[in-house]
Amino acid sequence: MIKPVAPTLIDRFLAGVAPNFATRRYHARLSLNYMGQYAGAKSNRAALKAWKTHPGSADSDSLGDLPALRSRSRDLGRNNPIAAGAKQTSKSNVVGTGLRVRSKLNPKLLGLSPEAAELWERKAETLFDLWAQSKLCDITLTQNFYELQGLVFNAVFESGDTFVLRRAPKRPNAVVPLALNVIEADRVGTPTELQGEYLIRDGVKIDEDGAPVSYFVLNEHPGERVTYTVNGFTEVPAFGKKSGEQMVLHIFERMRPGLNRGIPQLAPVIEILKQLDRYSEAELMKAVVSSFFTVFLKTQGDDGIAPAIPGAYPGMGANEVTMGPGTIVDIGTDEEIQTAQPANTANFDPFFQSVVRQIGVALSIPFELLMMHFTASYSASRASLEMAAQFFRDRRTWLVRNFCAPVYEWFLTDAINAGLIEAPGFFNDPVKRAAWLGAQWIGPARIILDPLKEWKAETEAVNLGARTIEAVIIERGGDDFEQTTAQRAREHQARAAAKLEPEILAPSGMGSQVKEDVSENREDDEETPTPKKPEKKQ
């Protein structure tokens, strides 16, 4: 609540001399106090007079613009190098060849021994990988689960959101009767007869609390045919009526409370990308035209134009000419050639890079990584990669929580129902269910600029106890800790058998310490006295 303004000494003096004037003056001060003091909210400034905004809700500000934003974002992804590169760079660093699951149980919570927990984890991972590697997990039999991760990421990047339906087709050789049906954003919309319903937001039916109830899915994509007519909707429930299990994954990033559809990630930079694209094309055409060498011949004639124009393309008009390398063009006697001097292109590259930096800020991708242009110092390049790694890690966590983890839960549910694995308490105890679903998802390895410096730093961090070897293996190599350790053990045994290295394998960075410990133990075993140094005479 805003406190009223206390009358000043001048206000009290004016009240006794000119009460009407004092009243108007005091009311003006009250109005100014209620208006606030933020310059950005003023409407009497030259820079802000024409800035008209509307304080709409999240849906009212976005739903009407989504069709144009999606189509333009996809067009840029097809034809604009920067947009295509930003999408591919994000996908490569967030998803890579696919996020792999690593089961992580809590043995004490589940009442399992460490050996039994490890056996269950390896079995669950093997079964899931068999399903994930097969194209039977895709309802279209086109991609496996790891490729579907990239598809979902690209769909959300370009369209703002996508939908994954849980399907249960009966297919031979399938590990479990589970298949994923990825639906593009355009196929979810509001039927004509339900337009205007307050609780239906662009195909998403919500309840009074804003939670999803069902989704209206078109039977075919609205852009499938040139002359499209609505061929019916199918209302798909968000949750099962009896089981309460989630049946549809609506994958998008909610930027504001109450937002029910996703916004394409290129939305803030669509105009900038298009203008920069036009500018680049103009500069390219200017360079091409400047490289042409064209000869113009003046000829005699009634109309000043020769009957046939050498160098003209078929279908060109009589008054049309074309320029090209080594082209000879006839012109009339009374005609002359005038050319516009192109502007200097020396500032093109600095301006281009400045705009691309702004685009990188909006997409959370550093300029060096967005343009694949590392010319700065090692420290600057490493700082850029560290910032990008943080963004990619956040996006990977978002993808795991919204897509990978729910699909893993679907799989375990079907595997337990099929009798492939046992998980007591999975269906009736939410705590144990969460414990059985414990998992870690391994993504692509991070970029390393200077491997020697990076690995030395990781070695020191491990020796100090600040990091674990498992975390280093996962983050730097994108590999599994148990598999890597087992492989190293086999390699060590083979090399030790071939006399290529000693039996004791010293950890990296601790070889000298281990060697000293071994030598000291041997001296103790042999009971060899340590010789004393002769004392110096004073």
Short mmCIF file of all heavy atoms in Angstrom, two decimals, residues 461-516:
data_model
loop_
_atom_site.label_atom_id
_atom_site.label_comp_id
_atom_site.label_asym_id
_atom_site.label_seq_id
_atom_site.Cartn_x
_atom_site.Cartn_y
_atom_site.Cartn_z
N ALA A 461 42.07 -32.40 -9.33
CA ALA A 461 40.76 -32.36 -8.67
C ALA A 461 40.41 -33.72 -8.05
O ALA A 461 39.87 -33.80 -6.94
CB ALA A 461 39.68 -31.93 -9.66
N VAL A 462 40.75 -34.81 -8.76
CA VAL A 462 40.48 -36.15 -8.23
C VAL A 462 41.37 -36.43 -7.03
O VAL A 462 40.92 -36.97 -6.00
CB VAL A 462 40.68 -37.20 -9.33
CG1 VAL A 462 40.64 -38.61 -8.74
CG2 VAL A 462 39.62 -37.06 -10.40
N ASN A 463 42.64 -36.06 -7.10
CA ASN A 463 43.56 -36.31 -5.99
C ASN A 463 43.17 -35.51 -4.75
O ASN A 463 43.37 -35.97 -3.62
CB ASN A 463 44.99 -35.96 -6.41
CG ASN A 463 45.54 -36.92 -7.44
OD1 ASN A 463 45.06 -38.05 -7.57
ND2 ASN A 463 46.54 -36.48 -8.19
N LEU A 464 42.61 -34.32 -4.94
CA LEU A 464 42.18 -33.51 -3.81
C LEU A 464 40.82 -33.95 -3.27
O LEU A 464 40.39 -33.48 -2.21
CB LEU A 464 42.11 -32.03 -4.22
CG LEU A 464 43.44 -31.34 -4.49
CD1 LEU A 464 43.20 -29.94 -5.05
CD2 LEU A 464 44.27 -31.26 -3.21
N GLY A 465 40.13 -34.81 -3.99
CA GLY A 465 38.81 -35.25 -3.56
C GLY A 465 37.69 -34.33 -3.97
O GLY A 465 36.56 -34.50 -3.52
N ALA A 466 37.99 -33.34 -4.82
CA ALA A 466 36.95 -32.42 -5.26
C ALA A 466 36.06 -33.03 -6.33
O ALA A 466 34.92 -32.59 -6.52
CB ALA A 466 37.58 -31.13 -5.80
N ARG A 467 36.56 -34.02 -7.06
CA ARG A 467 35.79 -34.70 -8.09
C ARG A 467 36.04 -36.19 -7.99
O ARG A 467 37.03 -36.64 -7.41
CB ARG A 467 36.16 -34.21 -9.50
CG ARG A 467 35.63 -32.84 -9.82
CD ARG A 467 36.15 -32.32 -11.15
NE ARG A 467 35.70 -33.12 -12.27
CZ ARG A 467 34.51 -32.96 -12.86
NH1 ARG A 467 33.66 -32.06 -12.41
NH2 ARG A 467 34.16 -33.70 -13.89
N THR A 468 35.12 -36.97 -8.56
CA THR A 468 35.27 -38.42 -8.59
C THR A 468 35.72 -38.86 -9.98
O THR A 468 35.50 -38.15 -10.97
CB THR A 468 33.95 -39.12 -8.24
OG1 THR A 468 32.96 -38.79 -9.24
CG2 THR A 468 33.45 -38.67 -6.88
N ILE A 469 36.34 -40.01 -10.02
CA ILE A 469 36.78 -40.54 -11.31
C ILE A 469 35.57 -40.82 -12.20
O ILE A 469 35.61 -40.61 -13.41
CB ILE A 469 37.61 -41.82 -11.10
CG1 ILE A 469 38.88 -41.51 -10.30
CG2 ILE A 469 37.98 -42.45 -12.43
CD1 ILE A 469 39.74 -42.71 -10.01
N GLU A 470 34.47 -41.27 -11.61
CA GLU A 470 33.27 -41.54 -12.38
C GLU A 470 32.75 -40.27 -13.05
O GLU A 470 32.39 -40.29 -14.23
CB GLU A 470 32.18 -42.14 -11.49
CG GLU A 470 30.90 -42.46 -12.22
CD GLU A 470 29.85 -43.08 -11.32
OE1 GLU A 470 30.03 -43.05 -10.10
OE2 GLU A 470 28.85 -43.61 -11.86
N ALA A 471 32.74 -39.16 -12.31
CA ALA A 471 32.26 -37.90 -12.89
C ALA A 471 33.16 -37.45 -14.04
O ALA A 471 32.67 -36.96 -15.06
CB ALA A 471 32.21 -36.81 -11.82
N VAL A 472 34.47 -37.65 -13.91
CA VAL A 472 35.40 -37.26 -14.97
C VAL A 472 35.18 -38.13 -16.21
O VAL A 472 35.16 -37.63 -17.34
CB VAL A 472 36.85 -37.37 -14.48
CG1 VAL A 472 37.83 -37.10 -15.62
CG2 VAL A 472 37.10 -36.38 -13.35
N ILE A 473 35.00 -39.42 -16.02
CA ILE A 473 34.81 -40.32 -17.15
C ILE A 473 33.52 -39.98 -17.90
O ILE A 473 33.50 -39.94 -19.14
CB ILE A 473 34.78 -41.79 -16.66
CG1 ILE A 473 36.18 -42.20 -16.19
CG2 ILE A 473 34.30 -42.72 -17.77
CD1 ILE A 473 36.22 -43.58 -15.59
N ILE A 474 32.47 -39.70 -17.16
CA ILE A 474 31.19 -39.40 -17.80
C ILE A 474 31.24 -38.06 -18.51
O ILE A 474 30.81 -37.93 -19.66
CB ILE A 474 30.06 -39.42 -16.76
CG1 ILE A 474 29.84 -40.85 -16.24
CG2 ILE A 474 28.77 -38.87 -17.35
CD1 ILE A 474 28.83 -40.95 -15.14
N GLU A 475 31.78 -37.04 -17.85
CA GLU A 475 31.75 -35.69 -18.41
C GLU A 475 32.75 -35.52 -19.54
O GLU A 475 32.45 -34.90 -20.56
CB GLU A 475 32.02 -34.67 -17.30
CG GLU A 475 31.91 -33.23 -17.77
CD GLU A 475 32.05 -32.25 -16.63
OE1 GLU A 475 31.87 -32.66 -15.47
OE2 GLU A 475 32.36 -31.07 -16.89
N ARG A 476 33.96 -36.03 -19.37
CA ARG A 476 35.01 -35.80 -20.36
C ARG A 476 34.98 -36.81 -21.50
O ARG A 476 35.32 -36.47 -22.62
CB ARG A 476 36.38 -35.86 -19.68
CG ARG A 476 36.62 -34.74 -18.70
CD ARG A 476 36.63 -33.40 -19.39
NE ARG A 476 36.90 -32.31 -18.44
CZ ARG A 476 36.91 -31.03 -18.77
NH1 ARG A 476 36.66 -30.68 -20.02
NH2 ARG A 476 37.15 -30.10 -17.88
N GLY A 477 34.59 -38.03 -21.20
CA GLY A 477 34.60 -39.05 -22.24
C GLY A 477 33.23 -39.51 -22.70
O GLY A 477 33.11 -40.14 -23.75
N GLY A 478 32.19 -39.21 -21.89
CA GLY A 478 30.86 -39.68 -22.23
C GLY A 478 30.71 -41.19 -22.13
O GLY A 478 29.86 -41.78 -22.79
N ASP A 479 31.55 -41.83 -21.31
CA ASP A 479 31.55 -43.28 -21.19
C ASP A 479 30.98 -43.70 -19.84
O ASP A 479 30.74 -42.88 -18.95
CB ASP A 479 32.98 -43.83 -21.34
CG ASP A 479 33.58 -43.49 -22.70
OD1 ASP A 479 32.83 -43.58 -23.70
OD2 ASP A 479 34.77 -43.14 -22.76
N ASP A 480 30.79 -45.02 -19.69
CA ASP A 480 30.26 -45.59 -18.47
C ASP A 480 31.41 -45.95 -17.53
O ASP A 480 32.43 -46.51 -17.96
CB ASP A 480 29.42 -46.82 -18.79
CG ASP A 480 28.81 -47.43 -17.54
OD1 ASP A 480 27.81 -46.90 -17.07
OD2 ASP A 480 29.36 -48.43 -17.05
N PHE A 481 31.26 -45.62 -16.24
CA PHE A 481 32.35 -45.84 -15.29
C PHE A 481 32.66 -47.32 -15.11
O PHE A 481 33.83 -47.74 -15.17
CB PHE A 481 31.99 -45.21 -13.94
CG PHE A 481 32.96 -45.54 -12.85
CD1 PHE A 481 34.20 -44.96 -12.82
CD2 PHE A 481 32.62 -46.45 -11.85
CE1 PHE A 481 35.12 -45.26 -11.81
CE2 PHE A 481 33.52 -46.76 -10.85
CZ PHE A 481 34.77 -46.17 -10.82
N GLU A 482 31.64 -48.14 -14.87
CA GLU A 482 31.88 -49.57 -14.64
C GLU A 482 32.50 -50.25 -15.86
O GLU A 482 33.44 -51.03 -15.74
CB GLU A 482 30.56 -50.28 -14.27
CG GLU A 482 30.15 -50.12 -12.81
CD GLU A 482 29.56 -48.76 -12.51
OE1 GLU A 482 29.33 -47.99 -13.48
OE2 GLU A 482 29.33 -48.45 -11.33
N GLN A 483 31.97 -49.93 -17.04
CA GLN A 483 32.53 -50.54 -18.24
C GLN A 483 33.96 -50.09 -18.49
O GLN A 483 34.82 -50.88 -18.88
CB GLN A 483 31.64 -50.20 -19.44
CG GLN A 483 30.25 -50.80 -19.37
CD GLN A 483 29.39 -50.38 -20.56
OE1 GLN A 483 29.82 -49.61 -21.41
NE2 GLN A 483 28.16 -50.88 -20.60
N THR A 484 34.22 -48.79 -18.28
CA THR A 484 35.57 -48.29 -18.47
C THR A 484 36.54 -48.91 -17.48
O THR A 484 37.67 -49.30 -17.83
CB THR A 484 35.59 -46.76 -18.32
OG1 THR A 484 34.69 -46.19 -19.27
CG2 THR A 484 36.97 -46.20 -18.57
N THR A 485 36.13 -49.04 -16.21
CA THR A 485 36.99 -49.63 -15.19
C THR A 485 37.27 -51.10 -15.49
O THR A 485 38.42 -51.57 -15.37
CB THR A 485 36.35 -49.49 -13.81
OG1 THR A 485 36.08 -48.10 -13.55
CG2 THR A 485 37.26 -50.03 -12.73
N ALA A 486 36.23 -51.83 -15.89
CA ALA A 486 36.43 -53.25 -16.22
C ALA A 486 37.36 -53.41 -17.42
O ALA A 486 38.22 -54.29 -17.45
CB ALA A 486 35.08 -53.92 -16.49
N GLN A 487 37.20 -52.55 -18.42
CA GLN A 487 38.06 -52.62 -19.58
C GLN A 487 39.51 -52.30 -19.23
O GLN A 487 40.45 -52.95 -19.70
CB GLN A 487 37.56 -51.66 -20.66
CG GLN A 487 38.40 -51.61 -21.93
CD GLN A 487 38.43 -52.94 -22.66
OE1 GLN A 487 37.49 -53.73 -22.55
NE2 GLN A 487 39.51 -53.19 -23.37
N ARG A 488 39.72 -51.31 -18.37
CA ARG A 488 41.07 -50.96 -17.94
C ARG A 488 41.70 -52.10 -17.14
O ARG A 488 42.91 -52.35 -17.23
CB ARG A 488 41.05 -49.68 -17.11
CG ARG A 488 40.79 -48.43 -17.94
CD ARG A 488 41.39 -47.23 -17.28
NE ARG A 488 42.81 -47.40 -17.04
CZ ARG A 488 43.52 -46.59 -16.24
NH1 ARG A 488 42.93 -45.59 -15.62
NH2 ARG A 488 44.81 -46.80 -16.05
N ALA A 489 40.89 -52.78 -16.32
CA ALA A 489 41.41 -53.92 -15.57
C ALA A 489 41.87 -55.03 -16.52
O ALA A 489 42.93 -55.64 -16.32
CB ALA A 489 40.36 -54.42 -14.59
N ARG A 490 41.07 -55.30 -17.55
CA ARG A 490 41.46 -56.34 -18.52
C ARG A 490 42.72 -55.93 -19.27
O ARG A 490 43.62 -56.75 -19.52
CB ARG A 490 40.31 -56.58 -19.49
CG ARG A 490 39.11 -57.29 -18.87
CD ARG A 490 38.12 -57.73 -19.93
NE ARG A 490 37.51 -56.61 -20.60
CZ ARG A 490 36.36 -56.05 -20.20
NH1 ARG A 490 35.73 -56.52 -19.13
NH2 ARG A 490 35.84 -55.03 -20.85
N GLU A 491 42.79 -54.66 -19.64
CA GLU A 491 43.98 -54.19 -20.35
C GLU A 491 45.22 -54.29 -19.45
O GLU A 491 46.30 -54.67 -19.93
CB GLU A 491 43.77 -52.74 -20.80
CG GLU A 491 42.72 -52.57 -21.88
CD GLU A 491 42.47 -51.11 -22.23
OE1 GLU A 491 43.10 -50.24 -21.56
OE2 GLU A 491 41.67 -50.83 -23.13
N HIS A 492 45.08 -53.95 -18.18
CA HIS A 492 46.22 -54.02 -17.26
C HIS A 492 46.69 -55.46 -17.08
O HIS A 492 47.90 -55.73 -17.06
CB HIS A 492 45.84 -53.43 -15.92
CG HIS A 492 46.88 -53.64 -14.86
ND1 HIS A 492 48.16 -53.13 -14.95
CD2 HIS A 492 46.84 -54.33 -13.69
CE1 HIS A 492 48.86 -53.49 -13.89
NE2 HIS A 492 48.07 -54.22 -13.12
N GLN A 493 45.75 -56.38 -16.94
CA GLN A 493 46.14 -57.78 -16.80
C GLN A 493 46.88 -58.28 -18.03
O GLN A 493 47.88 -58.99 -17.93
CB GLN A 493 44.89 -58.63 -16.54
CG GLN A 493 44.24 -58.37 -15.19
CD GLN A 493 42.95 -59.15 -15.00
OE1 GLN A 493 42.54 -59.90 -15.90
NE2 GLN A 493 42.31 -58.99 -13.85
N ALA A 494 46.37 -57.92 -19.21
CA ALA A 494 47.04 -58.36 -20.45
C ALA A 494 48.43 -57.74 -20.58
O ALA A 494 49.39 -58.42 -20.96
CB ALA A 494 46.18 -57.99 -21.65
N ARG A 495 48.58 -56.46 -20.25
CA ARG A 495 49.89 -55.81 -20.37
C ARG A 495 50.85 -56.31 -19.29
O ARG A 495 52.07 -56.42 -19.53
CB ARG A 495 49.73 -54.30 -20.27
CG ARG A 495 49.03 -53.69 -21.47
CD ARG A 495 48.85 -52.18 -21.31
NE ARG A 495 50.13 -51.50 -21.24
CZ ARG A 495 50.86 -51.14 -22.28
NH1 ARG A 495 50.43 -51.42 -23.51
NH2 ARG A 495 52.02 -50.53 -22.14
N ALA A 496 50.33 -56.59 -18.10
CA ALA A 496 51.19 -57.14 -17.05
C ALA A 496 51.66 -58.54 -17.41
O ALA A 496 52.81 -58.91 -17.15
CB ALA A 496 50.44 -57.14 -15.72
N ALA A 497 50.78 -59.33 -18.02
CA ALA A 497 51.18 -60.67 -18.45
C ALA A 497 52.25 -60.63 -19.54
O ALA A 497 53.11 -61.52 -19.63
CB ALA A 497 49.96 -61.45 -18.93
N ALA A 498 52.21 -59.58 -20.34
CA ALA A 498 53.20 -59.43 -21.41
C ALA A 498 54.43 -58.67 -20.95
O ALA A 498 55.28 -58.30 -21.78
CB ALA A 498 52.57 -58.73 -22.61
N LYS A 499 54.55 -58.41 -19.63
CA LYS A 499 55.69 -57.69 -19.05
C LYS A 499 55.84 -56.28 -19.61
O LYS A 499 56.95 -55.74 -19.73
CB LYS A 499 57.00 -58.47 -19.28
CG LYS A 499 56.98 -59.90 -18.84
CD LYS A 499 56.78 -60.01 -17.32
CE LYS A 499 56.85 -61.48 -16.88
NZ LYS A 499 56.63 -61.60 -15.40
N LEU A 500 54.70 -55.66 -19.99
CA LEU A 500 54.75 -54.30 -20.53
C LEU A 500 54.56 -53.25 -19.45
O LEU A 500 54.83 -52.07 -19.68
CB LEU A 500 53.67 -54.13 -21.61
CG LEU A 500 53.84 -55.01 -22.85
CD1 LEU A 500 52.68 -54.78 -23.81
CD2 LEU A 500 55.16 -54.70 -23.55
N GLU A 501 54.08 -53.64 -18.26
CA GLU A 501 53.94 -52.72 -17.15
C GLU A 501 53.92 -53.53 -15.87
O GLU A 501 53.65 -54.74 -15.89
CB GLU A 501 52.67 -51.87 -17.27
CG GLU A 501 51.39 -52.66 -17.28
CD GLU A 501 50.18 -51.76 -17.49
OE1 GLU A 501 50.24 -50.87 -18.35
OE2 GLU A 501 49.18 -51.98 -16.79
N PRO A 502 54.26 -52.91 -14.72
CA PRO A 502 54.31 -53.67 -13.46
C PRO A 502 52.94 -54.15 -13.04
O PRO A 502 51.91 -53.71 -13.54
CB PRO A 502 54.91 -52.66 -12.48
CG PRO A 502 54.57 -51.33 -13.06
CD PRO A 502 54.63 -51.51 -14.55
N GLU A 503 52.96 -55.04 -12.05
CA GLU A 503 51.70 -55.61 -11.56
C GLU A 503 50.84 -54.55 -10.88
O GLU A 503 49.63 -54.57 -10.98
CB GLU A 503 51.99 -56.74 -10.58
CG GLU A 503 52.60 -57.97 -11.21
CD GLU A 503 51.62 -58.70 -12.10
OE1 GLU A 503 50.39 -58.51 -11.90
OE2 GLU A 503 52.04 -59.43 -13.00
N ILE A 504 51.48 -53.62 -10.16
CA ILE A 504 50.73 -52.59 -9.44
C ILE A 504 50.54 -51.42 -10.37
O ILE A 504 51.52 -50.83 -10.86
CB ILE A 504 51.48 -52.16 -8.17
CG1 ILE A 504 51.64 -53.35 -7.22
CG2 ILE A 504 50.74 -51.02 -7.48
CD1 ILE A 504 52.43 -53.03 -5.98
N LEU A 505 49.31 -51.10 -10.63
CA LEU A 505 48.98 -49.98 -11.52
C LEU A 505 48.73 -48.75 -10.67
O LEU A 505 47.76 -48.66 -9.93
CB LEU A 505 47.73 -50.29 -12.36
CG LEU A 505 47.30 -49.20 -13.34
CD1 LEU A 505 48.38 -48.96 -14.38
CD2 LEU A 505 46.00 -49.57 -14.02
N ALA A 506 49.65 -47.80 -10.74
CA ALA A 506 49.53 -46.58 -9.94
C ALA A 506 48.54 -45.64 -10.58
O ALA A 506 48.57 -45.46 -11.80
CB ALA A 506 50.89 -45.90 -9.82
N PRO A 507 47.68 -45.02 -9.80
CA PRO A 507 46.77 -44.02 -10.38
C PRO A 507 47.55 -42.86 -10.96
O PRO A 507 48.64 -42.53 -10.51
CB PRO A 507 45.92 -43.59 -9.17
CG PRO A 507 46.07 -44.67 -8.16
CD PRO A 507 47.43 -45.25 -8.38
N SER A 508 46.98 -42.25 -11.98
CA SER A 508 47.63 -41.13 -12.64
C SER A 508 47.83 -39.99 -11.67
O SER A 508 46.93 -39.61 -10.93
CB SER A 508 46.78 -40.65 -13.82
OG SER A 508 47.35 -39.51 -14.41
N GLY A 509 49.07 -39.44 -11.66
CA GLY A 509 49.37 -38.34 -10.76
C GLY A 509 49.84 -38.78 -9.39
O GLY A 509 50.25 -37.98 -8.57
N MET A 510 49.79 -40.12 -9.09
CA MET A 510 50.19 -40.62 -7.79
C MET A 510 51.23 -41.71 -7.91
O MET A 510 51.48 -42.47 -6.98
CB MET A 510 48.97 -41.14 -7.02
CG MET A 510 47.87 -40.11 -6.82
SD MET A 510 46.43 -40.78 -6.00
CE MET A 510 47.09 -41.26 -4.44
N GLY A 511 51.86 -41.82 -9.09
CA GLY A 511 52.82 -42.89 -9.32
C GLY A 511 54.02 -42.80 -8.39
O GLY A 511 54.47 -43.81 -7.83
N SER A 512 54.57 -41.61 -8.21
CA SER A 512 55.73 -41.47 -7.36
C SER A 512 55.41 -41.82 -5.91
O SER A 512 56.20 -42.44 -5.21
CB SER A 512 56.27 -40.03 -7.45
OG SER A 512 55.26 -39.12 -7.05
N GLN A 513 54.21 -41.45 -5.47
CA GLN A 513 53.82 -41.74 -4.08
C GLN A 513 53.70 -43.24 -3.87
O GLN A 513 54.17 -43.77 -2.86
CB GLN A 513 52.50 -41.04 -3.76
CG GLN A 513 52.01 -41.26 -2.34
CD GLN A 513 52.90 -40.57 -1.33
OE1 GLN A 513 53.46 -39.53 -1.62
NE2 GLN A 513 53.07 -41.18 -0.15
N VAL A 514 53.07 -43.94 -4.83
CA VAL A 514 52.92 -45.39 -4.71
C VAL A 514 54.27 -46.07 -4.74
O VAL A 514 54.55 -47.01 -4.01
CB VAL A 514 52.00 -45.91 -5.82
CG1 VAL A 514 51.94 -47.42 -5.79
CG2 VAL A 514 50.61 -45.34 -5.66
N LYS A 515 55.17 -45.59 -5.61
CA LYS A 515 56.49 -46.21 -5.74
C LYS A 515 57.25 -46.09 -4.43
O LYS A 515 57.93 -47.00 -3.98
CB LYS A 515 57.24 -45.55 -6.88
CG LYS A 515 58.53 -46.27 -7.24
CD LYS A 515 59.23 -45.57 -8.40
CE LYS A 515 58.38 -45.67 -9.64
NZ LYS A 515 59.06 -45.06 -10.80
N GLU A 516 57.14 -44.90 -3.78
CA GLU A 516 57.81 -44.71 -2.52
C GLU A 516 57.23 -45.63 -1.45
O GLU A 516 57.96 -46.22 -0.66
CB GLU A 516 57.69 -43.26 -2.08
CG GLU A 516 58.47 -42.31 -2.96
CD GLU A 516 58.22 -40.86 -2.58
OE1 GLU A 516 57.49 -40.65 -1.59
OE2 GLU A 516 58.76 -39.97 -3.25
#
